[in-house]
Amino acid sequence: MLQDLENNFSEIEKKILVLQKNYKNLTEKLSELNTEHEELKMKYDEERRKNQVLAEEHKNIKLYSAISGNPEHNRLMKNHINRLVKEIDFCIAQLQNSGL
């Protein structure tokens, strides 16, 4: 009876050691994954910023092309000028309403 209890205790002790080892491995893996996640998040943010810069550059190139007379971008130029005229009209209306 006592021998059985000692064997059971020994087996439980071995299982606890295995569980502790597994827990340690899992916590290390979690730490690695968190670090990797942060690195990927930073890379994603950087790539997103680069993408925004490139999109803005592309927009400017199309606008410059339209200004220089490229017929493919005439509509873009007309739309841009129309937007600017509307903004100016809005500003003039605000100035007139404020009494300046």
Side-chain angles (χ1 to χ4, degrees):
M1 171 87 171
L2 186 57
Q3 184 65 28
D4 288 340
L5 286 174
E6 285 180 10
N7 287 340
N8 285 342
F9 182 75
S10 177
E11 285 182 38
I12 290 173
E13 194 174 29
K14 288 177 188 177
K15 288 180 182 181
I16 288 174
L17 291 174
V18 168
L19 286 173
Q20 285 178 334
K21 182 179 176 183
N22 288 341
Y23 177 77
K24 182 180 176 184
N25 290 339
L26 288 173
T27 54
E28 288 173 2
K29 183 69 173 175
L30 177 64
S31 177
E32 291 172 13
L33 289 173
N34 283 334
T35 303
E36 183 179 352
H37 178 261
E38 289 301 318
E39 289 172 1
L40 289 172
K41 203 158 108 176
M42 289 189 314
K43 285 181 184 179
Y44 170 77
D45 289 339
E46 184 178 333
E47 290 299 322
R48 191 178 60 165
R49 280 190 294 273
K50 285 180 184 178
N51 187 25
Q52 288 173 342
V53 168
L54 288 175
E56 187 65 31
E57 286 178 10
H58 182 260
K59 180 181 170 186
N60 288 337
I61 288 171
K62 284 173 55 176
L63 186 60
Y64 296 142
S65 179
I67 290 170
S68 68
N70 187 337
E72 293 177 14
H73 299 291
N74 280 344
R75 182 181 199 109
L76 173 69
M77 187 61 194
K78 287 177 185 177
N79 289 339
H80 187 68
I81 290 172
N82 285 337
R83 254 182 299 169
L84 292 174
V85 168
K86 286 179 185 179
E87 282 184 45
I88 292 170
D89 287 342
F90 180 73
C91 291
I92 290 171
Q94 282 186 328
L95 287 173
Q96 288 175 345
N97 288 339
S98 68
L100 293 177

